[in-house]
Amino acid sequence: MLMLRAKPHESWLPKMMANLDAVLVDHAHLERKAANSALTLGRYRELYGRIGELNAIAIEELEHFQLVLNLLDDRGVPFGHPISSPWISGLMGTVRKGRHEQVIDHLLCAALIEGRSCEKFQLLADALGQVDAPLASFFASLIESEGNHYASYLLMAKELDESETERRLDYYLELDAELVQQPSDLPILH
């Protein structure tokens, strides 16, 4: 169950629906970045015992990346330049330095990104149901995977240090709630 404390800004869904091609390009970039993030987490010695799980997440994210690339190709949408997300930058910019602190914060940011993806894919799937059934089905097919990644990252952090994870999770949930409510003109998922 997602512990998110705020819904996306009210302008988010209408903006997505009006810019589906750009959203799909952004989605492709996010899947590629999510794969890279899973691999990057493997650099922390605290997670060496979880390297197989991190690799499996990276592979799944790359499979999603390929699915989105195929979808772009099928729809005649060219793959374009990535757009930086103020929400992701806002989260990642607060990752503390120091081995123990950094790995916990990095895991919590990764968990929140996956959690928001889970939530937003559900919103898109519901909204697209009567407008673009194949695209609605596509987003719906990713929801469980995103939720599983959210849970995996959160559990990894708790196994490292449950009390510090709970403390920082509270901080990140508040930050996320603040950031997700900020309106944006960018046609991006996050």
Side-chain angles (χ1 to χ4, degrees), residues 1-4 57 61 107-118 143-157 169 173:
M1 177 180 205
L2 301 177
M3 298 181 281
L4 305 173
I57 291 171
E61 299 288 15
L107 284 166
L108 290 174
C109 288
L112 284 172
I113 292 167
E114 296 293 330
R116 281 291 175 195
S117 293
C118 181
I143 294 169
E144 183 179 351
S145 173
E146 302 299 319
N148 288 339
H149 298 166
Y150 163 82
S152 293
Y153 289 139
L154 189 55
L155 289 172
M156 285 181 205
L169 180 59
L173 288 170

Side-chain angles (χ1 to χ4, degrees), residues 26-158:
D26 181 57
H27 185 184
H29 284 289
L30 290 174
E31 294 291 358
R32 183 185 50 77
K33 289 176 186 177
N36 188 52
S37 181
L39 293 173
T40 299
L41 283 163
R43 75 178 184 208
Y44 297 112
R45 79 175 87 97
E46 295 90 339
L47 297 176
Y48 286 173
R50 305 302 289 267
I51 200 71
E53 186 176 357
L54 290 167
N55 191 54
I57 291 171
I59 290 168
E60 191 169 26
E61 299 288 15
L62 283 175
E63 289 170 350
H64 295 169
F65 176 52
Q66 186 61 55
L67 289 172
V68 182
L69 289 178
N70 294 345
L71 191 58
L72 288 170
D73 190 50
D74 290 347
R75 291 173 173 251
V77 178
F79 184 69
H81 188 72
I83 300 173
S84 180
S85 162
W87 177 80
I88 292 175
S89 297
L91 289 178
M92 295 301 293
T94 64
V95 171
R96 298 170 293 172
K97 300 297 182 211
R99 207 65 167 174
H100 186 70
E101 297 85 2
Q102 189 171 353
V103 67
I104 288 172
D105 286 2
H106 195 160
L107 284 166
L108 290 174
C109 288
L112 284 172
I113 292 167
E114 296 293 330
R116 281 291 175 195
S117 293
C118 181
E119 171 200 43
K120 290 179 173 182
F121 291 167
Q122 183 66 63
L123 292 170
L124 284 168
D126 292 346
L128 287 163
Q130 299 300 317
V131 179
D132 189 334
L135 192 54
S137 179
F138 171 71
F139 281 116
S141 74
L142 301 176
I143 294 169
E144 183 179 351
S145 173
E146 302 299 319
N148 288 339
H149 298 166
Y150 163 82
S152 293
Y153 289 139
L154 189 55
L155 289 172
M156 285 181 205
K158 285 185 176 191

Side-chain angles (χ1 to χ4, degrees), residues 160-178:
L160 292 177
D161 186 332
E162 188 161 358
S163 63
E164 180 64 5
T165 294
E166 289 297 332
R167 189 178 73 74
R168 286 301 281 180
L169 180 59
D170 186 59
Y171 167 80
Y172 276 113
L173 288 170
E174 284 300 313
L175 178 60
D176 164 70
E178 177 186 321

